[in-house]
Every structure is written in C-alpha cells, then in structure tokens.
Amino acid sequence: MSLPCSSDPLESSPDETIEARRDDARAADHNPANEMSRVLRTAPIHLAADPSGGAIAHWNHGPLHDVVEPMTDHVIMAYNGAIQRMERRSGRSIESGTFRRGVVIIIPAGSSSRWDIPKPVDVVQLYLPRTTLTRIADETDTFTPTDLLERTAHPDLITSRLLLSAADVLEGNTALDTLFRQQLTDLLATRLLAAHTGKAPNYQPALGGLAPSVLRRAIERLRSDADADVSLGALAADSGLSRFHFCRAFKESTGLSPHNWLRQYRLEQAINMLRDPQNSIALVAASLGYASQTAFAAAFPKIDR
C-alpha cells in the first residue's frame, strides 16, 4: 500500500509543517495505536493492551511516505521483514538506516518525524508509557528516571529478540497472556533504561529470593482458579514488593519466571485432567481459561490423550 507523496509540503518547509502538526497533535492527545492506524491505513494483525498501561502491536503494512504525529507513549519497534533501506526526517535532521532483524527503532513520546520506507514492513511495536519507564527506574534503584534517545535502525539484538517474542507467545489464555506481557514490558523497560538513555546504570547487588511465607502466598494465588487475578500487580502487592523485585525474587526462589511457572502448572493440570476419559479437550480448555480448544491445542501441542 503506497501512500501518496507528491506535492508534499514537507519538501518545501519541513520545520513549519512538522511544528504545525505538533500543535494539532497536542490538542488531539494521540494514542499510539490510533496514530499508527491512521498513518499506515490499516489495522494491526494483533493488538494487546495492558490494563496497567502500554500495549504491544504487530503490524504488516505496505510502503510508508508520511509524517507520524507526536504520540503519548514511547514507541519501540523491532523489525521482522526483508532487509531494506529507510529514511527518517525530523525538522532539518535526516537519518537513514537499514531495516533488518536485530535492529530497533525508538520514537520518544512527543516527537514527530517523516518516514520514507519503500517496501512492505513486518514490525512489532511496544507502546511504553513514560510512567512505566519512571516506575521501573524507581523500583530497580539502578537507573535515573529519564527519557529515551531517538534511534533509527539501531543495532540491539537483545531488545529486538525480546520484542519479537511477543508476537509468538500469545496463547489465547487471558491470565497467561497478561502475565507474559507485563513481565515482558518490565523487562524491556529495564533494557531500554540500560541501553537507550545515554546514562550508565548504578548497579546494586542482587538480593535473595522470596521469604518462604511470601513464596507460599504467591504460589497459592497462581494455583487459584482460572478467573483469579494473577497479574504482576496482584502478586507483587501480596509480597509487599515492587513488580520488578517480585519477578527477580520469584525466579531466584523457583528457577522460573511467574509466567513460566504458571504455564508449567497449567500444563500439569491439563495432563491430569485429560487422564479422566470423562473430560473432553474442550472442557479442559475452558476449565483452564483458554478462549478456545484451538488456543489450548496450540499452547500444548504435545499433549496426547
């Protein structure tokens, strides 16, 4: 899908036009997903919003020649398509780069730029609220709260792999999907603070795991029925820790992240339930919180009755 680029006012006065668009955007208070839909003229393949803030979207769109307005959240992109050159202009500044796996694009909240991408694009985007970045900086006691640097096709294999994994691990289970996205968002925010702010972290020594009573409460909550609140916020509140420190301590105690622990527990539940010939796969899927039998089968493909 090619967007028209002839008679583009940016060609003659990019500073004035982008500034005017900034004023309009401030009034409109752009939501990142809505703004990307407007620019790309398509809907995302998948969009998963987190009640605690932020969202992850997977896009597959055609060539782009347009201005992306300022957005309320930081936007971090990982590319998953064929190698191609692209160009990004902000005012009089022009940056070019090569889209390929292993690079990231960072659009700080409130910034605007003109993009020229000649070929189709497959990309996963994280919409990261400023408040989330500040929370992670405060919780870790390692980073100074700050904004992100702009990046255009910047090499960062770690961040790219983390973000692209979001497109592959959605399982059709509300509790598991939400917990995974929350863990991933916090992990990505930590990585972004370390690698894309221009400030060196003040590393603190790692602490131990959870106290036995706290670990027991956490596991009891994770073992609750499929409708129980097993969000990171609920688990952390029970433990009296921040989300960041709860995740770190839980993994120290169990060897697994909360998401992986819950996924393993649900797998064991599924195997035990399917041993009873009275239980159909559809019944087991519904009991464990999966949206459909298909989603359940995709999450646990090796289960054999």
Side-chain angles (χ1 to χ4, degrees):
M1 172 185 62
S2 297
L3 303 185
C5 57
S6 59
S7 302
D8 189 338
L10 279 176
E11 296 297 331
S12 56
S13 55
D15 292 333
E16 294 177 7
T17 304
I18 289 178
E19 189 56 40
R21 289 175 182 244
R22 281 200 183 103
D23 292 339
D24 292 341
R26 291 187 190 106
D29 194 30
H30 281 297
N31 172 280
N34 292 343
E35 172 60 6
M36 295 310 299
S37 289
R38 181 194 69 79
V39 172
L40 302 177
R41 300 182 183 180
T42 188
I45 297 172
H46 185 83
L47 173 66
D50 193 320
S52 64
I56 294 174
H58 183 191
W59 300 86
N60 198 324
H61 63 83
L64 172 62
H65 303 280
D66 205 345
V67 172
V68 176
E69 307 285 12
M71 290 179 278
T72 54
D73 297 339
H74 302 299
V75 181
I76 297 87
M77 295 185 261
Y79 188 67
N80 194 36
I83 295 175
Q84 64 169 307
R85 295 287 293 175
M86 50 72 60
E87 186 176 273
R88 176 182 176 186
R89 287 187 289 157
S90 181
R92 298 186 183 279
S93 173
I94 301 177
E95 293 190 33
S96 60
T98 301
F99 272 175
R100 57 181 172 80
R101 289 182 68 94
V103 304
V104 297
I105 299 91
I106 298 177
I107 308 175
S111 67
S112 178
S113 50
R114 156 82 185 227
W115 292 81
D116 287 290
I117 306 173
K119 299 178 183 178
V121 174
D122 184 344
V123 67
V124 178
Q125 297 181 339
L126 168 68
Y127 307 136
L128 184 69
R130 284 174 165 144
T131 53
T132 300
L133 204 63
T134 300
R135 173 179 61 79
I136 292 296
D138 291 340
E139 289 180 1
T140 59
D141 298 323
T142 303
F143 304 98
T144 302
T146 185
D147 281 335
L148 298 176
L149 298 173
E150 287 193 5
R151 301 291 200 193
T152 302
H154 183 83
D156 183 348
L157 189 59
I158 294 173
T159 302
S160 175
R161 283 178 174 173
L162 284 172
L163 189 47
L164 290 178
S165 71
D168 300 327
V169 191
L170 299 173
E171 305 181 67
N173 182 291
T174 301
L176 279 168
D177 290 349
T178 299
L179 192 54
F180 170 75
R181 286 196 306 274
Q182 290 174 345
Q183 286 182 195
L184 180 66
T185 298
D186 284 8
L187 185 58
L188 279 164
T190 305
R191 170 64 184 172
L192 291 166
L193 285 166
H196 299 288
T197 62
K199 297 183 179 181
N202 301 313
Y203 288 105
Q204 302 292 325
L207 304 175
L210 296 172
S213 60
V214 175
L215 178 61
R216 185 165 55 251
R217 286 199 303 273
I219 289 177
E220 286 174 355
R221 179 177 284 274
L222 289 168
R223 284 177 171 165
S224 300
D225 60 67
D227 294 328
D229 183 359
V230 291
S231 65
L232 275 187
L235 290 163
D238 279 355
S239 72
L241 297 172
S242 68
R243 281 170 45 160
F244 176 87
H245 284 299
F246 171 78
C247 277
R248 180 203 54 73
F250 186 91
K251 188 169 184 178
E252 182 74 19
S253 295
T254 66
L256 296 170
S257 68
H259 169 263
N260 285 338
W261 192 97
L262 181 58
R263 190 175 190 280
Q264 181 65 32
Y265 176 65
R266 293 280 171 86
L267 173 60
E268 293 169 358
Q269 283 184 297
I271 291 173
N272 289 332
M273 293 178 70
L274 287 171
R275 284 176 179 153
D276 184 344
Q278 300 299 315
N279 292 331
S280 66
I281 293 179
L283 175 64
V284 174
S287 298
L288 297 182
Y290 282 88
S292 66
Q293 184 175 331
T294 301
F296 172 76
F300 304 123
K302 294 183 180 179
I303 289 182
D304 188 351
R305 297 190 59 179

